[in-house]
Amino acid sequence: IANIKAANLSREDAIKMADAERMARGVVGKETPGDVEFRYLKNDEFEKQFGPAKGAQVVEGDRPVVYVNTGFKGSRSMLHETAHALDALDDFSPQRAEINKLLFDQVSSDGKVISKGLYDVEDLAKFANQYESKLSPGALKEWGLLTPDQRAKAIMGEVRAEHFANLIEGSPKAML
């Protein structure tokens, strides 16, 4: 809570971030550090590690860690990165599969749509183009090394993260 207060946010954004952090941490105790760790860094510290960004999520060991750049106002980036952290938990696999069924067309190996989701293959291609256009040159180079399947899974993760942030913020769904 002290870290969230230090970010000098609006009361509403601070509440959203505190709630998301409590939910993602899960059960916390002396011997249970929680499912997801949160680290709040000042802008200069954050940029040394990650470059110019509002937030980042990485897996350290077997634990997802959300890094929040306190130099930026608002809760959206933290909410988005929290969704990536939840997505990284092995225990989240059944929920991820259910969310994928709702969000994305389920397609057979011959390309036939088995069940309709909110987004089809063309939508995912548009989202991929949007995402790629925002990548730094270094990140774009790494992105280029991924297989088409890995890129599709990454974009699906971005869409899930945006839907989670939209849910918490009460925003419309169609935003990547």
Side-chain angles (χ1 to χ4, degrees):
I1 300 291
N3 288 320
I4 292 172
K5 284 183 180 179
N8 196 27
L9 300 166
S10 70
R11 181 177 189 278
E12 184 177 308
D13 281 339
I15 290 169
K16 288 176 191 174
M17 287 176 70
D19 287 346
E21 182 174 336
R22 284 183 186 131
M23 179 197 61
R25 282 186 183 274
V27 177
V28 178
K30 287 183 180 180
E31 296 181 32
T32 310
D35 295 320
V36 176
E37 185 175 340
F38 289 81
R39 296 183 189 156
Y40 294 80
L41 302 175
K42 293 181 180 173
N43 189 56
D44 57 333
E45 296 172 272
F46 185 92
E47 286 193 356
K48 281 180 192 172
Q49 271 190 273
F50 301 103
K54 297 176 185 176
Q57 184 276 315
V58 296
V59 175
E60 295 178 1
D62 61 350
R63 196 158 171 233
V65 180
V66 173
Y67 286 88
V68 179
N69 183 345
T70 60
F72 286 90
K73 300 289 183 231
S75 59
R76 182 157 194 93
S77 179
M78 182 270 201
L79 298 173
H80 178 97
E81 299 304 334
T82 298
H84 283 308
L86 292 169
D87 218 8
L89 296 171
D90 288 338
D91 292 343
F92 193 67
S93 291
Q95 291 87 348
R96 185 182 318 111
E98 283 300 311
I99 291 168
N100 283 347
K101 286 179 186 174
L102 295 170
L103 291 177
F104 310 111
D105 283 0
Q106 303 300 298
V107 181
S108 66
S109 58
D110 65 356
K112 184 178 177 183
V113 175
I114 300 167
S115 67
K116 197 86 173 108
L118 289 174
Y119 303 110
D120 60 24
V121 174
E122 289 81 23
D123 292 324
L124 287 176
K126 289 177 198 171
F127 294 153
N129 288 335
Q130 287 176 6
Y131 185 74
E132 288 173 18
S133 74
K134 296 177 183 180
L135 293 175
S136 68
L140 189 56
K141 185 178 178 181
E142 287 180 33
W143 180 258
L145 298 174
L146 298 177
T147 67
D149 188 53
Q150 289 170 321
R151 282 190 217 138
K153 287 180 181 175
I155 291 302
M156 291 167 75
E158 292 300 322
V159 172
R160 285 190 303 270
E162 281 302 300
H163 272 269
F164 176 81
N166 287 343
L167 174 70
I168 302 298
E169 291 209 324
S171 300
K173 71 170 178 71
M175 185 176 166
L176 176 64

